[in-house]
Amino acid sequence: PKVASYHFKRFPILGAAFTPTGDQVLMTSTTSQIWGLDVSSGEPFEVRSIASDKSALRCLAMGPSPQQVSGLKSSKMYSVLGDHGAISICDINSKHAIRTLRMSSPGVALLFAPHQDTIYSADEECNIYEWDLISGRCRQKVKELWAMKIQCLAASATKNLAVGTVTGNVDILDISGPKLSGTPISSIGNLTTRVDCLRYSSDGQILGACSRLKSGSLRLVHAGTATVFQNWPTQKTPLNRASVLDFSTQGVLAIGNEVGRVLLYRLKHYSKSN
C-alpha cells in the first residue's frame, strides 16, 4: 500500500536514491539543483548547489549501507557527475562537496564499491577509473576493450564489475585483485539494444539487466557462471519497456517500466533459503 506521495513543482525527477541509512531521499533533475526528503517527517529540503557553473548533475550514487558493511567511510557519502568529467563526492550529513575528482573525458556512469572505500566511474571514451576515496587519487585507469560506448555500471559483493554498453552487451570485469584489467572475464550478449540499467542482487549471485528501447528486454544472469536464466521472463511476462530494476535484500525484484508501473517479483530461490 502507498505510504505517502509528494510533488515537487517544476522539478522533473531524473534520479532518486535513499541515503545509506535510509532516513532520507535525495533527488536530481535537469539542472544543478538537488532536493531531499526526510522520510520520517515527510519534510522536503533543498540541497545547496555544488556545481559552480550551474550544469546539470547526473548519475546520483549513494555509498554502501552501513548495515551491510561496517566501518566504511563511503557509507557517509554520495556522489554525482557534473560536466567536463567532474565527480563531486559529498558528505551525507552536511550535503557539502568534500572532494572533486576529474576524469579526462565527460563522465557517463558512476558507483561506489560495496566492499571498500572506492568509487568506480566511466567516461565517454570507454575508460574505467578506480578512485581511492580516502586519498582522492586515481588508483587505476583502463580502457574497456570490448565496449563501443559505456552506458552504466554495477558492482557485486563478490567483486565483479558489470559494464552495460550501448550495443546491448554486458561485460564482466574482475575487480578482486590489485590490478584492474580492461579485458572482460565474460560477456553476455542477450540484449540487442542499449543497456539502461544494471543491478546485482545483494549477495552478488544474480545480475539483472534491462533496456527501455525494446518491450520485454530484461534478462537475469547467474553471476557465477555468466549464463542467462532461460525460464524467465517469458513472452507473456507483462514487462512492457523496462527502464530500471533493483533487488531488495529479502529477494524481491522491482522493475519500473515506461508506462509508469512498478512490478514486484519474489525470487523463489530466496524464498526457499530465507
Side-chain angles (χ1 to χ4, degrees):
K2 182 190 292 185
V3 176
S5 180
Y6 303 93
H7 179 240
F8 291 81
K9 293 182 180 179
R10 296 183 294 277
F11 189 79
I13 299 171
L14 299 185
F18 282 98
T19 56
T21 54
D23 56 345
Q24 295 178 341
V25 178
L26 297 186
M27 293 157 281
T28 57
S29 185
T30 55
T31 67
S32 61
Q33 192 177 21
I34 296 178
W35 275 87
L37 182 73
D38 186 284
V39 174
S40 59
S41 67
E43 289 296 319
F45 58 89
E46 187 174 6
V47 177
R48 181 181 177 184
S49 177
I50 58 175
S52 58
D53 56 356
K54 304 300 181 182
S55 59
L57 301 174
R58 300 167 287 110
C59 299
L60 174 65
M62 289 292 166
S65 169
Q67 296 178 348
Q68 293 180 314
V69 181
S70 61
L72 293 181
K73 293 185 181 300
S74 57
S75 64
K76 298 180 181 179
M77 299 177 183
Y78 69 94
S79 184
V80 287
L81 288 179
D83 283 347
H84 313 298
I87 305 171
S88 296
I89 310 296
C90 305
D91 178 77
I92 282 289
N93 296 320
S94 68
K95 307 297 188 294
H96 292 167
I98 54 178
R99 195 182 296 277
T100 300
L101 314 174
R102 193 169 294 276
M103 296 177 281
S104 57
S105 297
V108 294
L110 178 71
L111 62 80
F112 285 86
H115 57 283
Q116 60 183 354
D117 284 320
T118 298
I119 199 166
Y120 291 96
S121 64
D123 67 22
E124 62 181 20
E125 301 296 329
C126 293
N127 295 307
I128 295 177
Y129 302 74
E130 180 185 73
W131 303 90
D132 186 325
L133 287 172
I134 305 303
S135 66
R137 294 182 178 180
C138 179
R139 292 198 195 108
Q140 302 180 68
K141 172 187 172 183
V142 298
K143 183 174 286 291
E144 216 278 48
L145 298 176
W146 293 5
M148 292 181 61
K149 186 177 180 182
I150 295 173
Q151 182 74 13
C152 51
L153 299 172
S156 74
T158 53
K159 301 182 181 179
N160 284 333
L161 181 68
V163 182
T165 68
V166 296
T167 58
N169 278 49
V170 178
D171 299 333
I172 310 298
L173 305 181
D174 182 6
I175 55 174
S176 62
K179 187 171 179 57
L180 181 64
S181 172
T183 302
I185 58 175
S186 59
S187 184
I188 300 120
N190 291 68
L191 295 180
T192 57
T193 53
R194 182 190 69 204
V195 182
D196 289 301
C197 184
L198 284 174
R199 290 291 189 276
Y200 276 101
S201 59
S202 58
D203 59 7
Q205 293 187 39
I206 298 177
L207 171 65
C210 68
S211 173
R212 70 196 333 161
L213 299 181
K214 186 177 179 181
S215 183
S217 191
L218 181 146
R219 297 292 182 270
L220 297 183
V221 181
H222 181 260
T225 58
T227 56
V228 174
F229 290 98
Q230 299 296 329
N231 60 336
W232 194 88
T234 67
Q235 290 184 348
K236 295 182 179 181
T237 307
L239 296 178
N240 205 282
R241 295 176 183 264
S243 55
V244 66
L245 63 91
D246 208 350
F247 297 89
S248 78
T249 55
Q250 290 76 35
V252 175
L253 170 62
I255 303 167
N257 63 28
E258 292 287 279
V259 296
R261 295 186 181 276
V262 178
L263 311 174
L264 301 178
Y265 295 92
R266 179 168 293 280
L267 305 180
K268 292 182 179 180
H269 165 78
Y270 290 92
S271 62
K272 290 179 181 179
S273 59
N274 288 344

